[in-house]
Structures are given as C-alpha cells and as structure tokens.
Amino acid sequence: MKRYFVHLLTSLRHHTGLVLATMIVLTASFFVSGSLVLVGQNLDRVLTLWGESLQMSVYLKEGTTSEQVQALQGRLQKDKRVAKAAFVDRREALTHFQEQMASYAPDLLNDEQLLKFIPESLQVQISQSVSSILQMKVLQELAGELGQEPTVESVSYGQDWVKTYSSIVATVSKAGMWMIVLILAAAGFVISNSVSSSIHQRKNEIEVLELVGASKWMIRGPYLFEGFFMGALSGFLALLVLAAGFETIQNFLRGELAFLQLSHHLQFFGAAHAGLFVLASGAVGFLSSAFSLRKLNDGWAASKAGQEA
Amino acid sequence: MIEFSHLYKTYPGPIHALKNIDLSIDKGEFVFLTGPSGAGKTTLFKMLSAYDRPTSGQIQVAGFDLASLNQTSVAQFRRRVGVVFQDFKLLKDRTVFDNVALPLVVRGDRPSHIQNRVEDILDQVGLLAKADQLPDFISGGEQQRTAIARALVHQPGVLIADEPTGNLDPRLSEEIMDLLERVCAQGTTVFVATHDHSMVKARKHRTIELLHGQVVAGARP
Ligand SMILES: Nc1ncnc2c1ncn2[C@@H]1O[C@H](COP(=O)(O)OP(=O)(O)OP(=O)(O)O)[C@@H](O)[C@H]1O
Ligand SMILES: [Mg+2]
C-alpha cells in the first residue's frame, strides 16, 4: 500500500500539470453528471409536488342555482388556461369524502344529515398547453379571479396530475441518463489520453520493471490505484462543488422564489448516494487507466521503445 | 543450457542484425562475445534475455523456449536471468539501493532478506557508500557497477553482461571480471560481450566472435 502512495506522490511531483489538468477535466465532467442526476432526482420530487397541486376545487356558495353553475362552468371551459371544469354535486362529493374518511369515522359518515354540509364544487384542471414552469402561477392567478366570483365560496388546490408528470419525469431522466453516458464516455476518452501520456512518460520505469521480471499486476497496480484515486478525488471535489451550487440555489429559492415553496422539497444526495458517486468516479479513473496500460504493458515494452518515439 | 538454432533478427529497414545463428553454451560456462561495433552483440543479448523477440528461429534457455513466451512466462524467465544492459537501464528516481533491490522486490522477498542481500552485493562491487545516491549523481563507472549489482543480486542461473567494464578503469575492470568469475564458479553461466581484447586474451575463456550478424568463431565449445 505504501508503494502505491509513493508512486502517486512521484506521479504528482513529476507531472503536476498533467495530473491537475486531468483532475480538472474529471471534476468538471463528474460535476455535470452529478448535476444531471441531482436535477433529475429533484425534478422528480418537484414535478410530483406540482402535479398534486395543479388542480383546484372551486366550492360554490349555498343556494347557487344550476344556471349560475352552468354559466361559471361555461366561462371556465372557454378560458384558454383551463382544460376542464367539471361539476361535482353534493352526493358525488359525499361519496368521495366517505371513501377517503371511511377508516376514521365510519359512523359519522353514514349520517345522511352530513349531505347538507357538503358544498357543491367545480373541479378545474389547468390546460396542458401551459408550460409546467408556469402552471403554478396560472393556478394562483385563476384562483384569485375565481375568489372574486359572487357564487364562489372558496377555492382550494389539489388533485392528481401525477401520471402526466411522471411520464415527463421519465422522459427527462432518460435523456439525462444518455447525457451522462455521453459525458462519461467523453471524459473517459480524455482521461485515457492523458493517463496514457503519463504512462508514456514513465515508459522507462515500466520497461525496467518488465525487464527485471515484475508481474503484470505489480506494474499495473500503482497506475490503476493512481487512476482510481484521481477519479475518486475528482468525484469528491465535484460533489463539494455540487453541494455548494445546491446550497446557492436553495438560498435563492428561499429568498426571491419563496412563493414557489420549493426549498424544503429539494434534497441533496444522501450519504449512500454520495459514497456511490465517489466510488463510481473512482471506477471511471480505474477503467481508463486499465485501458491505457493494456497497450503498453504487454511484457515487451522495452523492445518497442525505439519504434514509437 | 543455452541453445540458439537458425536464429534471425531483422529490424525494420530491413537491417539484418542477426543471420542464422547456431550456438550452444553449457551450464556453468564462462563465454566472451566479441566483434566490431554493429556486429550484433547487443542484438544477440536482447534475444537471449527475452528483451525482444527473434524474427525467426529458436532459443532455448534454462528450459524456456524464448520464441513462445507469453506475458506471464516472460516475467518468470526474466527472474531467472541477470542482465547488465549496455545502457544500464537504471531508474533515475530511485536510489542505488532501490535499483539493485528490484529483482528481489518483484519476486516478493522479505525486506530483511532484501536488505542483507543488497548490502552484500553492493559491498562486492564497491558501492556500499553510494547506496543512497540517485543514479544521476554518481559516475558512469558507478552506474555500471550498480547495473552489475542488480544483475547479480538475485543469484541468477544465467548472467548476460553487455560490455560490463566499458566505463571502468583497468583496476576496477579486473575486479569486476574477478567477481564474474567467482559468480561463474558458483554455477552461474556467464556470457560477457566486450571490446577489450587484452582482457579476452588474459582470461582464457571460450570466445564467440560475431561479424555482420553472423558467428565467425567459437560456435561450439
Ligand atoms: N532497435 C533497432 N532498430 C533498428 N536497427 C537496430 C536496432 N538495434 C540495433 N540495430 C542495428 O543492428 C545492428 C547490430 O546492432 P547491435 O547493437 O547489436 O551491435 P553491437 O555489436 O552491440 O555494437 P556495439 O559494439 O557498438 O554495441 C546495427 O547495424 C544496428 O544499427
Ligand atoms: Mg552493443
């Protein structure tokens, strides 16, 4: 183990520039990949949250006539922002309510008297043509307008668009995955290039080790360790930058965008995911190192020395 | 012990560095290899030490068929031979001690054994005082003796030395040749390339002569 660290320090001393450049490329690509994963995770959370609230129940005042209901419904149907405005009468609402509350107070719910207390309502869905970022605003706007209506008692949000949103999230995360694969492949290529030039600078050492009969793994071990260590360290740095960025965005959300009420719904990676992220970064470094070594350390490095240079 | 048959080595060019080499050397023999510069001495040693692969033909050394070594067996073979390279091939970022210890380190010897063995061989080549120096900070002759010590430290069955006294003064050359003869007396087959005719004459060992890539004298004992 000590041998590996000595090798690492030697490497750092001799090719400081190269090691740093590689680390920067690695950190940057791990940062982008990490951001994508993080955004994906939180998008999922936020869209689900929004999806749940992107509907509203417009409760009507006691004694509203069916003509008034139809007039309001008709106006809403024509509104570009609205996809659907469905009337829910007392009995329907009660059934729904009973279904939801059955386990809490079964006796109470059988009481027909309850019907009097249940208001009639319109269930309003926001049009899908409104972009998901704006839907929240539209909802607030519309709720404000409806609150002014003489026939409207109160307005409340909440229904389930989860299905629509989960399909959006699925698409987004699929695209994100492909992007990560692409970025990691590109990073792997860059690292492999730079590791292989580092290896070529130490060709002499590999040659001599081969010539005194060092086994394949004895020669490769320190380089693989170096690759892993550089990858893992870059992953760790990327994570730190990511955490800082995340905190900044959180502060922004708590400040100017507080009305979105997002900040407490966003989450950074947990310990397990963070660990996994660092390990995966190490694996990328390890693999690119292994790839570069395979070509040079085949037992005959010394005999090829003159030919490539 | 060592057997070349119909061995050819052609470098890109094409340069026919070795042509139809047939040689055999017995276990425990002491053999000189001579010939003018460019005759193919180093190339012959490269074939013999599995530094490079022949273009065609066979080499058998200590039971290994060098033409068909894979990555594992080539390492095993190299642990059984000691080679003094014409250009030394020392690692510049390791001390004399660490360079000499390499053959023992790669086969996984115990540190205490490595310590004793390396100090012993450094003493024999007169370099104990330089053990902690880096190769760039010692003289050419000292580098050469470091290379010799590294080739001997693991007590190989075959020692191949390419001009091991090229950078040494006459007195040191004699000392090194005495050392190689002692090693040979202990059972190691020693094969030494040299330009030093007076030494070849004085030492009275079998001498193989190369010219233009061909053996012109001493092919058989
Ligand atoms: N790697 C190589 N690529 C191409 N040609 C080579 C290579 N190594 C040696 N040669 C050529 O092969 C021939 C034999 O070279 P070699 O080094 O074996 O000679 P030598 O007998 O050791 O000479 P010296 O006494 O100067 O060390 C020379 O013509 C040389 O130019
Ligand atoms: Mg030579």
Side-chain angles (χ1 to χ4, degrees), chain B residues 37-43 86 162-163 193 195:
Chain B
S37 184
K41 301 183 296 297
T42 296
T43 305
Q86 198 168 8
D162 200 350
E163 315 224 13
H195 285 291

Side-chain angles (χ1 to χ4, degrees), chain B residues 165 168-182 196 198-200 202-203:
Chain B
T165 58
L168 305 180
D169 63 47
R171 194 184 59 82
L172 261 180
S173 296
E174 291 303 315
E175 272 181 33
I176 292 298
M177 289 311 294
D178 289 344
L179 173 62
L180 297 188
E181 284 179 356
R182 277 205 307 281
D196 187 342
S198 58
M199 187 169 70
V200 173
R203 297 271 165 175

Side-chain angles (χ1 to χ4, degrees), chain A residues 93-207:
Chain A
L94 178 67
T95 316
H96 186 62
F97 184 65
Q98 280 170 333
E99 273 165 18
Q100 285 190 336
M101 303 302 280
S103 55
Y104 296 106
D107 294 339
L108 176 80
L109 293 176
N110 291 329
D111 192 351
E112 276 291 310
Q113 292 292 63
L114 203 62
L115 207 55
K116 284 210 290 259
F117 298 103
I118 304 268
E120 293 178 313
S121 67
L122 282 171
Q123 297 297 323
V124 178
Q125 285 187 2
I126 302 297
S127 165
Q128 285 193 11
S129 62
V130 177
S131 87
S132 66
I133 307 297
L134 290 175
Q135 282 180 342
M136 191 75 188
K137 256 187 169 167
V138 168
L139 204 62
Q140 285 181 316
E141 197 180 286
L142 202 60
E145 287 171 27
L146 286 169
Q148 309 291 314
E149 289 284 333
T151 52
V152 171
E153 174 77 48
S154 67
V155 179
S156 86
Y157 307 160
Q159 221 171 346
D160 98 301
W161 273 41
V162 182
K163 273 183 196 153
T164 320
Y165 282 105
S166 60
S167 82
I168 293 175
V169 169
T171 315
V172 168
S173 48
K174 217 180 202 170
M177 284 248 295
W178 280 110
M179 233 156 120
I180 290 171
V181 167
L182 260 165
I183 289 168
L184 288 187
F189 183 74
V190 175
I191 307 153
S192 159
N193 257 342
S194 115
V195 171
S196 97
S197 96
S198 146
I199 289 169
H200 275 270
Q201 288 182 35
R202 296 206 322 217
K203 226 163 37 178
N204 187 38
E205 179 174 334
I206 293 178
E207 279 173 37

Side-chain angles (χ1 to χ4, degrees), chain A residues 10 14 204-205 207-216 218 220 297-300 302-303, chain B residues 50-53 66 69 71 74-75 78-79 85 89-91 93-94 102-103 105-106 150:
Chain A
T10 314
H14 289 246
N204 187 38
E205 179 174 334
E207 279 173 37
V208 172
L209 287 173
E210 278 189 3
L211 290 175
V212 297
S215 70
K216 185 160 97 177
M218 197 172 272
R220 294 184 187 191
N297 168 226
D298 62 353
W300 303 92
S303 66
Chain B
Y51 181 108
D52 199 355
R53 281 172 282 208
L66 301 198
L69 291 173
Q71 194 170 0
V74 76
R78 285 169 179 158
R79 292 180 194 189
F85 299 96
K89 298 217 176 288
L90 301 176
L91 293 177
D93 59 353
R94 300 197 199 190
L102 274 181
V105 171
V106 301
R150 188 183 62 192

